[in-house]
Amino acid sequence: MKAFLTGAAVAALGAGLTFVGLVTFDQSTAERYQDGSVILLDHATSWDTD
Amino acid sequence: MTDAAQGHAGGVRGRAFTGYRIAGALSALLFLVLLAWQAFELFDGDATVAPERGWRAVSSEAAGDDGSGTLASEMLTARTRLQDERFRTGPAPDAETPGRGLPQDMRLEQQDIPRNEALTDAWSRPEGDAASMLHDPGRIVGLSSLPYANAALYERPFARDWRVGLSDVITHMGAIAILGMGFLLSAMLALRGRVPIRKGRSGRKVRRFGYLERTTHWLTAISFIGLALTGIVIAYGETLFLPLGDRVLGTLGWWSTWGHVLFAPTFFLGIAVMAAMWTLGNLPTKLDANWVAKGGGFFSDDGPHPPARKFNAGQKMVFWSAVLGGLVMVVTGVTLMFPFYWLDLGGMAWAMLIHAGIAVLLIAIFLGHIYIGTVGMQGAIEAMWGGDVDRNWAEEHHVLWLQEKDAKEGAR
């Protein structure tokens, strides 16, 4: 019982830390402008690579 | 355990656990129905994924106009240029915003694509000449004005194999493996009953797993169950939860996508510590062949259980599934968390196929592990719950381990 609770607590702590870490270093991959158009930020343009 | 079970002349019999056997029979029936449903799904024409809806542009006034035209394509080009400009320079509020790609008097509408239409069929399962033509070049590239690198890549035949592999083969085979395992275990409980402590409980305890061992086990177990449940939502959510409504699937899907990432680090930590603690005890020995040949003594209440040290061959198989399977899951999972960092599109497709394929196998294997550790075997759960097992249980299942332990403790 004690071991189970310790395991559950460590799993919860790990999940919490991962959540905080991911939210902290979150980077947007797209940007939306006022006219509704969306730019994907992680793609090179076709004429950049061609 | 019932009194009748204990009073039997030949020791405790597995078949005497009547309540467990009734529950097993009911559960077997449920799994049989689910398997039948899965078999129906498998052979139903609807089993493969194919495009169902298509877009087309129609005139607002006169339906039937195909809607393509120079004006529309010019607008699209202008818009694409603006997007590219913004991609390189950032927002430019003064820039002139082009109009919509579709003229004002046109609109887009969706329509059904009939199933089994020649086009749908060829897309879904190319055969013969079509297949060889599609596979030969590996990729079909054209020209595009859209502002991202792979926009001009119209078709990757491997992506078709990936789609069939993931959404058809692995999904269906995985469902059959998981439900089939559920059925087999339930049927075993119904027919065979629990694996009993044949001599009954001695009332004397022996320490089997220490605190660190049990904590690591439960840490890995909780993380694995979290990953399995969230993974099932990701893989089977549309089948299981969409009938309950869009919002149900949306909410569950959102939490599952998060949860699937959140449980991963502790799962990796768990299998790493387990590997460090238990690898030595789980190396194969000659005893294992004997144990496997006798089916672990699980299928009959007559004759002795094959001798085992701390871990028998069955537990070793579970250990290596967890460590090696878990390692593959972590490597492919981390790859999927960082798409295209070290693999290209083909590599990503393989990572997803391997991740999903091993996942459903691991779920099926660990259903077996959970079964034998709880309802399947009398006294087994105590080893991981409190750490102490009954001496008679230890003598029946791990006699060599018990002797070594007694000798060691007697020598002190």
Side-chain angles (χ1 to χ4, degrees):
Chain A
M1 177 75 178
K2 227 168 75 182
F4 177 83
L5 290 178
T6 312
V10 176
L13 182 71
L17 287 176
T18 311
F19 182 83
V20 171
L22 286 172
V23 169
T24 308
F25 295 102
D26 181 32
Q27 282 189 331
S28 182
T29 54
E31 219 167 299
R32 184 182 287 278
Y33 295 95
Q34 274 179 342
D35 65 339
S37 61
V38 173
I39 304 292
L40 299 178
L41 297 175
D42 55 353
H43 287 296
T45 61
S46 61
W47 40 88
D48 276 347
T49 53
D50 283 349
Chain B
M1 183 176 37
T2 63
D3 289 342
Q6 241 164 351
H8 196 279
V12 182
R13 313 293 290 182
R15 284 173 156 263
F17 292 91
T18 317
Y20 282 90
R21 294 183 62 203
I22 292 171
L26 292 175
S27 163
L29 213 62
L30 176 69
F31 277 113
L32 205 59
V33 171
L34 290 173
L35 269 174
W37 167 53
Q38 186 55 35
F40 173 78
E41 285 280 321
L42 190 61
F43 296 109
D44 185 19
D46 206 23
T48 51
V49 177
E52 289 171 350
R53 304 277 286 167
W55 285 100
R56 64 178 196 145
V58 291
S59 161
S60 301
E61 291 144 21
D65 192 325
D66 68 4
S68 62
T70 320
L71 186 58
S73 89
E74 272 171 9
M75 296 253 188
L76 182 63
T77 308
R79 218 170 162 75
T80 302
R81 287 221 177 87
L82 176 79
Q83 289 210 326
D84 181 60
E85 182 70 21
R86 283 185 173 175
F87 178 82
R88 284 186 277 117
T89 62
D94 298 337
E96 198 180 320
T97 306
R100 291 169 179 277
L102 210 62
Q104 292 292 340
D105 59 339
M106 304 288 285
R107 62 187 167 85
L108 284 173
E109 76 169 21
Q110 274 199 339
Q111 58 181 7
D112 286 330
I113 300 176
R115 278 200 92 89
N116 302 325
E117 199 182 57
L119 178 70
T120 319
D121 251 16
W123 184 89
S124 177
R125 269 188 298 257
E127 283 164 353
D129 289 346
S132 59
M133 281 164 65
L134 283 171
H135 278 84
D136 199 28
R139 47 197 274 146
I140 296 165
V141 184
L143 292 170
S144 165
S145 62
L146 291 175
Y148 51 93
N150 57 4
L153 181 57
Y154 292 137
E155 191 166 347
R156 297 184 78 260
F158 177 72
R160 189 192 313 270
D161 300 338
W162 166 78
R163 180 191 57 76
V164 170
L166 197 67
S167 59
D168 298 343
V169 178
I170 293 178
T171 311
H172 286 107
M173 294 304 136
I176 286 176
I178 293 167
L179 296 174
M181 182 60 97
F183 171 72
L184 287 178
L185 296 172
S186 308
M188 189 159 142
L189 185 62
L191 297 174
R192 190 250 181 274
R194 304 182 86 189
V195 177
I197 303 175
R198 290 183 198 163
K199 290 186 197 162
R201 291 180 187 277
S202 68
R204 290 160 63 213
K205 296 282 186 183
V206 56
R207 169 117 309 204
R208 176 135 171 87
F209 289 116
Y211 182 66
L212 178 66
E213 286 176 302
R214 282 176 288 137
T215 301
T216 308
H217 170 268
W218 288 119
L219 171 68
T220 318
I222 290 165
S223 306
F224 178 80
I225 290 171
L227 288 167
L229 292 179
T230 52
I232 282 172
V233 173
I234 293 166
Y236 297 102
E238 202 178 326
T239 309
L240 296 176
F241 302 111
L242 200 55
L244 303 177
D246 289 355
R247 290 195 69 87
V248 175
L249 180 62
T251 309
L252 271 177
W254 169 254
W255 284 109
S256 296
T257 323
W258 265 110
H260 206 65
V261 175
L262 299 188
F263 284 117
T266 46
F267 176 71
F268 179 61
L269 176 69
I271 58 167
V273 179
M274 278 201 310
M277 283 190 311
W278 288 337
T279 298
L280 265 184
N282 279 287
L283 295 175
T285 64
K286 279 182 188 163
L287 286 171
D288 298 329
N290 178 45
W291 192 93
V292 171
K294 291 184 178 165
F298 284 172
F299 299 101
S300 160
D301 287 336
D302 302 312
H305 285 286
R309 291 204 167 81
K310 181 160 183 172
F311 298 112
N312 61 40
Q315 289 166 319
K316 288 180 185 179
M317 284 188 248
V318 168
F319 171 80
W320 289 112
S321 305
V323 169
L324 298 180
L327 200 65
V328 173
M329 295 307 285
V330 169
V331 169
T332 51
V334 169
T335 300
L336 293 171
M337 280 184 212
F338 296 94
F340 307 109
Y341 273 67
W342 47 86
L343 287 183
D344 62 2
L345 194 57
M348 291 301 297
W350 275 113
M352 204 180 273
L353 285 171
I354 293 168
H355 194 81
I358 301 287
V360 287
L361 282 181
L362 283 182
I363 291 174
I365 289 170
F366 279 91
L367 277 180
H369 175 64
I370 292 167
Y371 168 79
I372 206 72
T374 54
V375 293
M377 183 189 282
Q378 189 188 7
I381 184 75
E382 294 156 26
M384 270 306 164
W385 195 249
D388 298 328
V389 290
D390 194 275
R391 276 192 73 87
N392 283 352
W393 181 91
E395 204 176 294
E396 286 175 21
H397 295 290
H398 300 274
V399 65
L400 300 174
W401 167 76
L402 187 65
Q403 287 168 358
E404 283 165 17
K405 193 174 170 65
D406 283 349
K408 213 184 278 177
E409 282 169 8
R412 263 182 211 164

